[in-house]
Amino acid sequence: MARSLVVGAGISGAVLANLIANNLNENVLVIDKRNHIAGNIYDYKDQKTHITVHKYGPHIFHTNNKKVFDFLSEYTKWHYFFLKPKAIMEGNFASIPFNLTTLYDVFSDPMAQKIEENLINTFGYGKKVPILRLREYKEFEFIADYIYEHMFKNYTIKQWGLLPEDIDSSVTERVPVYISHDNRYFQDKYQGIPLDGYSQMIKNMLSHKNIEVRLGVEYKNLNENFDRIFYCGSIDEFFDYKFGYLEYRSLNFDIRTINKEYYQPSAIVNYPNNYDFTRITEHKYFLDEKSEKTIISVEYPAAFEPDKNERFYPISNQKNNALYEKYLNEAKKAKNLYFIGRLGAYKYYNMDLAVEKIFEFFEKELK
Ligand code: UDP
């Protein structure tokens, strides 16, 4: 019986191992250098408060892809949840993404009404306009500058160390200005949080007689032969950084238990303009968990430094993308070696896209 190796027990590795085990009737060994499964979507129940904590930052599942949702639904039930975050702008809790309701959070009613009418007349109700595009309209100079200055500029400097116009435009396009009173962060058809947590969902996916999971194991220290290797880590590390380092942004989390029932009015509050952190997550909101206390994590962006912190966000730019391609060409010389997942593909995938990409990969390469 053929035997594959999957390096990394995050969502991409787990989905692939599951597909191989179920559809190809092969054996799969899944290893992870961390001592837990689920990669950066790992969550755990705090022993004292019983609140589920997203250790590596907030994860809200959302997709329009029914196939992805149905697949994951085989391994979890869902707590239906819409993320409605706030940002502190000029001292007010304002709805984000910046939308028509936000106008009334930050301006007087007559002023908000005037801007609202102009936006609807130009773009149409329900349209999404990336901030950098809105800035190109002379007639929207005031509102575009306001949103840019109060929501995007300093947040992006903290998060990426760069101005919004100096990062890949797809990043700020994730949070377009929304010509709507819909206050949700996402408009996808399917949204929610796994009822028993992400870690349990991944555990269920990996529970198969053909799948073995070994934790705390470095790929480099594994001395076994495999028919195929699927590597979900960073491609530069695999090749010992021989062409140079791929850049990533990292995050540090200050996770604190607070002695009151609620800390803030929503699961996530962004602080674009104050402090060194970008946002605070209050974890009990995700599953509507009840406790006299609450747990928050304060999120501090940082540069990624190998062996010091974790990789979170690939930094897509010409230099990094060219370096990635160079490594990928090297990888193509090897047979039966594949780089997959957010790190392996060096792409800012959401969870649903990570799953979709594994489906595509499986169909194309393994079926
Ligand atoms: N962003 C911002 N201000 C905000 C929220 C987002 O400037 O209040 C920008 C920032 O550049 C960020 C990007 O939009 O990196 C994408 O935000 P998202 O919330 O999708 O990031 P994630 O949750 O993946 O960290």
Side-chain angles (χ1 to χ4, degrees), residues 63-334:
T63 192
N64 282 318
N65 187 322
K66 182 170 162 53
K67 202 176 148 207
V68 168
F69 185 71
D70 287 349
F71 174 85
L72 296 179
S73 303
E74 285 177 37
Y75 302 99
T76 189
K77 291 195 169 92
W78 298 95
H79 173 73
Y80 301 120
F81 178 84
F82 295 127
L83 179 66
K84 294 182 177 179
K86 302 281 179 197
I88 296 191
M89 286 186 222
E90 297 184 300
N92 298 312
F93 285 109
S95 298
I96 50 162
F98 203 104
N99 61 47
L100 299 178
T101 304
T102 322
L103 291 172
Y104 294 84
D105 294 333
V106 296
F107 300 129
S108 67
D109 283 5
M111 188 169 162
Q113 210 169 358
K114 202 172 132 215
I115 301 171
E116 174 175 11
E117 275 172 20
N118 289 341
L119 286 169
I120 294 173
N121 286 340
T122 302
F123 298 105
Y125 191 86
K127 289 289 178 315
K128 293 181 173 179
V129 188
I131 182 60
L132 297 180
R133 213 183 113 217
L134 191 63
R135 290 194 96 203
E136 291 166 5
Y137 288 76
K138 189 85 195 108
E139 65 269 39
F140 291 113
E141 190 178 351
F142 168 76
I143 186 63
D145 281 354
Y146 183 92
I147 299 170
Y148 178 84
E149 288 292 332
H150 291 86
M151 183 180 151
F152 284 95
K153 187 176 151 193
N154 293 317
Y155 189 103
T156 302
I157 289 174
K158 283 192 263 188
Q159 177 76 3
W160 298 94
L162 292 167
L163 286 166
E165 53 272 35
D166 295 331
I167 59 174
D168 193 290
S169 60
S170 63
V171 176
T172 48
E173 281 168 13
R174 291 168 61 87
V175 202
V177 175
Y178 192 20
I179 317 297
S180 167
H181 281 279
D182 181 345
N183 269 340
R184 297 170 304 167
Y185 211 52
F186 311 113
Q187 276 67 47
D188 303 65
K189 180 164 181 183
Y190 306 101
Q191 307 189 34
I193 312 284
L195 193 60
D196 299 312
Y198 287 98
S199 302
Q200 186 62 46
M201 177 180 81
I202 297 295
K203 190 174 173 198
N204 295 343
M205 225 179 263
L206 292 170
S207 298
H208 190 285
K209 64 178 185 358
N210 293 358
I211 301 177
E212 181 194 349
V213 179
R214 285 188 219 157
L215 297 175
V217 177
E218 288 273 1
Y219 168 73
K220 298 258 144 80
N221 298 335
L222 202 65
N223 219 347
E224 293 170 41
N225 291 323
F226 299 92
D227 297 288
R228 283 182 301 236
I229 296 172
F230 305 99
Y231 194 85
C232 306
S234 193
I235 198 167
D236 56 345
E237 184 175 350
F238 182 91
F239 288 110
D240 290 322
Y241 308 104
K242 68 177 180 182
F243 300 135
Y245 289 86
L246 282 170
E247 293 172 300
Y248 290 87
R249 287 299 280 178
S250 184
L251 298 171
N252 294 318
F253 295 96
D254 180 8
I255 301 178
R256 296 189 220 152
T257 302
I258 307 281
N259 206 359
K260 58 180 179 181
E261 201 183 349
Y262 285 95
Y263 180 80
Q264 61 189 29
S266 57
I268 298 178
V269 174
N270 287 8
Y271 289 76
N273 298 301
N274 298 98
Y275 312 112
D276 295 333
F277 50 83
T278 47
R279 58 185 173 188
I280 297 182
T281 297
E282 184 166 2
H283 296 266
K284 69 190 331 184
Y285 278 106
F286 293 134
L287 291 166
D288 195 19
E289 291 166 320
K290 305 297 177 199
S291 166
E292 286 171 3
K293 297 187 179 185
T294 194
I295 298 184
I296 61 166
S297 50
V298 185
E299 196 166 325
Y300 293 87
F304 165 70
E305 294 175 78
D307 302 323
K308 270 202 176 163
N309 51 17
E310 305 285 342
R311 295 177 173 93
F312 281 83
Y313 303 92
I315 303 178
S316 173
N317 60 30
Q318 248 181 356
K319 182 177 143 243
N320 287 332
N321 297 341
L323 183 58
Y324 177 78
E325 285 304 317
K326 199 167 170 189
Y327 277 118
L328 203 59
N329 283 333
E330 195 71 1
K332 281 178 190 152
K333 291 181 196 160

